[in-house]
């Protein structure tokens, strides 16, 4: 276990954690949002972030401070906490973003780490190389090698109590991301940003973003606090948390406000297009869209930024509550309906169901089947893995309901789409207590048929019959030939 990070609860790949930040003397509960503070622009003052929004941690850019004579001297003299007037934890970025935007910067990892320590940063960042998506393997490998050298420099540096982050790069190559994660986790550095995902999100490539995070997580392991660097839109937080991200930073709240854009968990709206404000924060209850549009530009920007932050923090709280209640994936399913590319992201998440299954609690409140994607959830994967270990009698009837004639069988088991067969003794246990729609969909039937096949394949000597109710022939095709089939519809009329 990493000393600075403790897990307190889990659901799918999501978790509630405690990040101890010794230099700030605070413990930050994760998932957490780090509002980005541009030291040159005061959209919302840091003290207000703490008092009104409950921000426990923020992030600012040490490279910008370092490059500005006035800010640099103030930070050196007063320290970052007094300069920003914020008593929570302060993370600092290093200039890597500027490096990716402008091609070069004028500090080394040694210099910027020493500067971050000097000005009182609580979590510092070395100068890693943010490799864009889709570059050649050669370039991604070469960049990664440089990033890894920088992490080793950071590991060797005298950083005192300050935590230091170890960015994970590797472009869109899952293999390199996994290798980078393993290397980063092998250092004694503390927080693990998955870097260079902003271009993916700008292009709505949420599926590729999930694949990148999944790969990084395989290398990092379960105990590493993971920061999705540059991801600030609340629409995708639930998805990213479900894949195992713990920290998010938002510049979006301020940047969007400057452009008259209004954040919602279902996407971004232009203020000019809104006839109603679908939010109950103070800004939205005290103003109409016309009121906001009539404000002077600076005031409008500040009101919109406040709304954007309210929505963003509220989503973080909603996600934490969902993890506690065990219904994070139900929340992800709702968010996935906001945009087709979010649905791609959710489907990509389910490609990693076996990986998520390892951290998913064995028992939770209740499984709600709310989309055909639910048939691929980690709980279904786990039940089907368990099927291979259950002991099966010589002759077994599997039935979708109680009306099947059960004479002559050693045992009768129920078949519940999407899980498949299970013995009576498990009927009261999670996830078989699932709430499923009466109008079963094809994905659930297919998953149940897969479950039957797994049970039969694991017990080739058992004689198994399946009583179904009008399952399509193409679904029944996956059931092994040795299984005797009985369609209950044909017996209903007798
Ligand atoms: Zn609002």
């Amino acid at each position: 276990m990493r000393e600075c990070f403790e897990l307190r609860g889990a659901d799918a790949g999501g978790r509630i954690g405690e990040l101890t930040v010794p230099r700030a003397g605070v413990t930050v509960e994760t998932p957490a949002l780090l509002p980005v503070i541009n030291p040159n622009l005061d959209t919302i003052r840091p003290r207000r972030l703490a008092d009104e929004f409950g921000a426990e941690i923020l992030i600012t850019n040490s490279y910008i401070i370092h490059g500005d004579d006035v800010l640099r001297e103030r930070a050196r003299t007063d320290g970052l906490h007094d300069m920003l007037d914020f008593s929570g934890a302060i993370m600092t970025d290093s200039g890597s973003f500027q490096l990716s935007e402008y091609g070069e910067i004028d500090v080394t990892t040694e210099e910027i780490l020493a500067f971050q320590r000097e000005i009182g940063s609580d979590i510092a960042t070395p100068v890693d190389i943010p490799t864009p998506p889709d570059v050649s393997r050669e370039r991604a490998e070469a960049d990664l090698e440089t990033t890894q050298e920088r992490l080793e420099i950071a590991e060797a540096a005298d950083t005192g109590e300050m935590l230091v982050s170890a960015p994970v790069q590797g472009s869109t190559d899952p293999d390199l991301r996994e290798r980078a994660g393993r290397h980063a986790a092998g250092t004694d550095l503390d927080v693990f940003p998955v870097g260079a995902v902003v271009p993916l999100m700008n292009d709505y490539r949420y599926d590729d973003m999930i694949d990148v995070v999944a790969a990084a997580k395989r290398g990092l392991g379960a105990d590493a606090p993971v920061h999705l660097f540059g991801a600030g839109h609340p629409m995708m937080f639930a998805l990213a948390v479900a894949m195992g991200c713990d920290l998010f930073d938002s510049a979006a709240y301020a940047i969007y406000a400057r452009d008259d854009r209004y954040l919602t968990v279902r996407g971004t709206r232009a203020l000019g297009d809104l006839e109603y404000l679908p939010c109950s924060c103070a800004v939205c209850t005290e103003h109409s869209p016309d009121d906001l549009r009539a404000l002077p530009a600076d005031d409008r920007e500040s009101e919109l930024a406040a709304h954007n932050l309210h929505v963003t923090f509220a989503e973080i709280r909603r996600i934490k509550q969902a993890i506690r209640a065990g219904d994070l994936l139900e929340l992800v399913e709702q968010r996935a309906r906001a945009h087709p590319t979010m649905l791609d992201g959710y489907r990509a998440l389910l490609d990693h169901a076996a990986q998520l299954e390892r951290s998913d609690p064995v028992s939770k409140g209740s499984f709600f089947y709310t989309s055909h994607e639910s048939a691929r959830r980690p709980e279904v994967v786990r039940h089907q893995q368990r099927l291979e270990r259950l002991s099966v009698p010589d002759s077994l009837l599997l039935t979708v309901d109680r009306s099947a004639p059960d004479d002559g069988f050693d045992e009768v088991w129920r078949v519940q789409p999407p899980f498949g067969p299970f013995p009576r003794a498990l009927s009261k246990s999670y996830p078989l207590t699932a709430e499923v729609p009466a109008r079963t969909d094809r994905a659930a039937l297919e998953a149940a048929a897969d479950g039957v096949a797994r049970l039969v394949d694991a017990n080739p000597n058992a004689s198994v019959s399946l009583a179904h109710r009008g399952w399509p022939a193409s679904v029944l095709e996956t059931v092994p030939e040795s299984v005797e089939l009985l369609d209950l519809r044909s017996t209903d009329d007798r």
Side-chain angles (χ1 to χ4, degrees), residues 262-263 277-285 303-304 306-308 310-311:
Y262 179 100
L263 293 183
L277 298 177
C279 169
S280 50
C281 83
V283 175
C284 299
T285 47
E303 294 295 336
L304 277 176
H307 156 80
N308 289 346
H310 276 298
V311 170

Side-chain angles (χ1 to χ4, degrees), residues 341-355:
T341 56
M342 287 287 301
L343 187 53
D344 280 332
Y346 180 42
R347 289 175 179 169
L349 180 86
L350 293 170
D351 291 343
H352 303 287
Q355 186 175 334

Side-chain angles (χ1 to χ4, degrees), residues 268-287:
T268 310
R269 309 285 176 255
L271 178 62
D273 293 340
L274 288 175
E275 287 187 47
Y276 305 93
L277 298 177
C279 169
S280 50
C281 83
V283 175
C284 299
T285 47
E286 285 164 19
H287 298 85

